[in-house]
Structure formats: C-alpha cells, structure tokens
Amino acid sequence: YRGGVWAQGRRGATRVRPGADGWSVLGGDERPSVLRHVEISIVQEGESLFAPPGAAALRLTGVEASSGPLGALRIPRSTVPPVVYEVAFRPEDVRQEAPDEQDVEVPASLNWLSALGRRVTEGSGSSLAAAVSIESYLRSSFDYAATSNAPLRRDPVDWFLNTSREGHCEFFASSMVLLLRSLGIPARLQAGYSGGESDGEGGHVIRDSHAHAWVVAWVGNEPVGRVARRSSGLRWRVFDPTPPEGQPVVSDASGRFEWGFTWQRLESAWDRWVLTYSLADQIGVARGIAHLVGKVGGRIAPALAVLVGAAVVVVILTGRRRP
C-alpha cells in the first residue's frame, strides 16, 4: 500500500523449478500424492496463474513460472492460452510468509483510523474478536456498489469511510486491512477469484465476474496490542468484509435460480456491452442487422419503411416542442 494504491511488486520473485517428478514445491514439505488435486485450464490471455488456498505444489509443463514474495504465481505475458496445469493443495491452509513491518504500515494521512478501530472493537477480548468486529461493522454499516466515482486525488479508503459509504469489494477489503493495521494487527489484502459456475461434470467455470478481494489477518486469542508477529498461537485467517450481495457465489448445475450469480452476469454484460462498447462492436452489430435485413428484406421492407418514417416524424415533432 503506497499513497492510496495497492500494488503487487515484482521484486523478490523466484523461478518455480520442477523436481524429477514434474512437481514444483510451493510451500511445506508434504508429498503432492497425499494432498487434494485440481486441474486448472486458463483460456484467457494473462500473466497470472490461479492457485487455490493451501497450494503446496504445482505441475506445469512447457511454460516457465515464477513465484512472488507473497506467493503470487506468474507466467510470461506472451504465453498463448490455453494454459493447463495441476495444483496439489490443502484447502484449510492459508500459506503466507510470516508478517513483517509492512503488514502494520498505515499512511500518516490515515492516522485517524486508530480511533475508529478502537471504537469498533471496544470490548473485544482478542485480536481474533477484533477482526470479526471490524468485518461485521463494514458489512452492516456500508453499502455495496459495483462501480464508484472515487476522486483521483483523494485516498480511496478515506473517501469510502467518510464520504461515499458505498463501494465494491476492494474498498471494503482495503478498509478492513488498514483498520486492523491501525490497531497493530498485521493484515494483507488478497485479490483473486471466488465462487464459480458448475459445469455439471464436477468442475467449475470461473469468469471475470468472479474476481474478488478479501483480507487475511494475523490473529489469535491474544489481546489487541499484544500481538507477537511470530507467536505460535497466531495464524493467518481469512475474512471477507464485503456485504453478501457483493460476494461471488458458487452456482450449481441443478437449474436452481441464483440471484447473486445472475446479478454478476448482468454486471458483466453491462460492462461488456455498455461501458466498453467499442466501434468494432458497433460495426459487428450493424453488419448483423444488414445481413438479417438482406435475408428477409423482401418481406419486411414495406413495414420497415413505415416504422422508420414514423420514427422520423416523432423525432421532428419532439424537437419542435423543446424550448
């Protein structure tokens, strides 16, 4: 977090080297054969590899991968999809490096967060309870919005908490991270994918609309203010302060209507066909209409001419009524 912006640095990335069995160890010393496995196929261009929580080993052939300091996996941007690989993982694990000084860093302009953090967590008997209180406070006191108009010259967390009081998942997660840090509790923002659409064959399709942001916090039963960063009683735990309507869901193949998933599809369609509707899109639609008109033009041409004429008359009359 630097100057109101979250960034994943590339410094410290190391090449992921496979062993004799083709597996590259990502963390821990457990054999891949005793862990759960998942096969992943990425069909969209990009430089990031998705790995589920608890990822311990990766098997990828034909592509060189690297691992960042926080475990982010990358491949060369020039890689041609699809990229198919296998991950061995333990679902209940959150594999992260132990916290350091940066995990309790708060910008000087946001020092006022500590007062808000103390008020929200008043009466909490432990760092874990404090994290739960902050998560609950953000979920219940702020509204979810798919888009935002945050000013470019203002810190987004300050704007979210004090002005808009609504935003998407990154605002909720960033606010929780900094509120925790203001109390001396190490915390990190995590961005990735959550939820999915069942393919009916035991797998799931994960789309851009499932992108999400959440929080990992170094908490336990120790009181707030006495958090030892390497205490055996503490560990990374996952929190999601975004209200339920903003959290991606897992859709099954039973045909049951899923409001959350349907809303995500509508948002994705809006982004694709309204917000980012390009000239190429317009030309493509125009060609499709021209082809349709040419195919059935002999039968609908008279009616179409009447409709167009009526529309022109309406536009002229409307224009004359304007002051």
Side-chain angles (χ1 to χ4, degrees):
Y1 186 89
R2 296 289 186 275
V5 177
W6 288 95
Q8 172 64 49
R10 296 176 179 273
R11 294 182 179 180
T14 58
R15 180 180 175 184
V16 176
R17 300 182 181 277
D21 57 357
W23 285 97
S24 303
V25 176
L26 302 177
D29 55 0
E30 296 171 288
R31 300 189 312 277
S33 59
V34 302
L35 301 174
R36 294 183 62 179
H37 287 221
V38 61
E39 183 180 273
I40 301 172
S41 177
I42 297 181
V43 299
Q44 184 171 300
E45 291 184 1
E47 60 177 343
S48 298
L49 290 182
F50 169 76
L58 167 74
R59 183 155 63 184
L60 171 67
T61 59
V63 181
E64 183 177 297
S66 62
S67 177
L70 298 182
L73 296 171
R74 285 193 174 92
I75 55 176
R77 184 179 290 273
S78 58
T79 304
V80 178
V83 179
V84 182
Y85 57 101
E86 189 175 0
V87 176
F89 67 107
R90 183 180 294 279
E92 65 271 19
D93 285 356
V94 180
R95 295 182 180 272
Q96 296 274 330
E97 294 293 330
D100 56 28
E101 290 75 13
Q102 290 186 344
D103 295 318
V104 291
E105 184 180 84
V106 177
S109 60
L110 296 180
N111 285 338
W112 56 269
L113 282 173
S114 59
L116 175 61
R118 289 192 299 270
R119 177 170 63 81
V120 171
T121 61
E122 185 178 3
S124 300
S126 66
S127 58
L128 175 58
V132 172
S133 296
I134 293 174
E135 179 186 54
S136 177
Y137 165 72
L138 292 171
R139 281 186 181 181
S140 60
S141 303
F142 298 83
D143 296 323
Y144 176 79
T147 58
S148 65
N149 297 310
L152 294 176
R153 297 182 179 275
R154 186 171 175 185
D155 186 284
V157 170
D158 176 67
W159 176 82
F160 171 71
L161 293 175
N162 291 315
T163 303
S164 72
R165 300 188 70 83
E166 68 173 19
H168 49 71
C169 57
E170 288 181 330
F171 287 97
F172 285 89
S174 297
S175 297
M176 181 171 180
V177 167
L178 291 178
L179 281 168
L180 288 168
R181 289 182 177 184
S182 72
L183 300 176
I185 300 174
R188 295 170 179 169
L189 180 144
Q190 300 281 284
Y193 294 89
S194 178
E197 176 185 359
S198 174
D199 62 4
E201 300 178 355
H204 283 82
V205 178
I206 300 175
R207 307 179 188 276
D208 284 344
S209 58
H210 296 112
H212 195 47
W214 57 93
V215 177
V216 291
W218 186 253
V219 293
N221 294 322
E222 288 79 358
V224 176
R226 300 181 185 177
V227 177
R229 295 176 194 166
R230 295 185 181 274
S231 170
S232 59
L234 301 171
R235 65 183 180 92
W236 292 111
R237 294 176 184 262
V238 177
F239 299 89
D240 192 346
T242 302
E245 59 268 28
Q247 297 181 16
V249 298
V250 175
S251 174
D252 61 27
S254 65
R256 185 179 60 203
F257 191 75
E258 293 280 358
W259 275 107
F261 182 67
T262 301
W263 178 250
Q264 289 167 32
R265 278 189 166 176
L266 290 174
E267 286 181 354
S268 180
W270 176 267
D271 290 341
R272 173 67 181 91
W273 296 108
V274 179
L275 299 182
T276 60
Y277 192 62
S278 66
L279 177 60
D281 295 325
Q282 299 172 38
I283 293 173
V285 171
R287 285 176 176 172
I289 294 174
H291 176 74
L292 178 62
V293 171
K295 188 175 181 180
V296 297
R299 288 173 289 177
I300 68 170
L304 184 61
V306 172
L307 289 174
V308 171
V312 171
V313 171
V314 170
V315 170
I316 292 174
L317 294 176
T318 303
R320 288 182 176 179
R321 292 177 182 175
R322 291 177 180 173

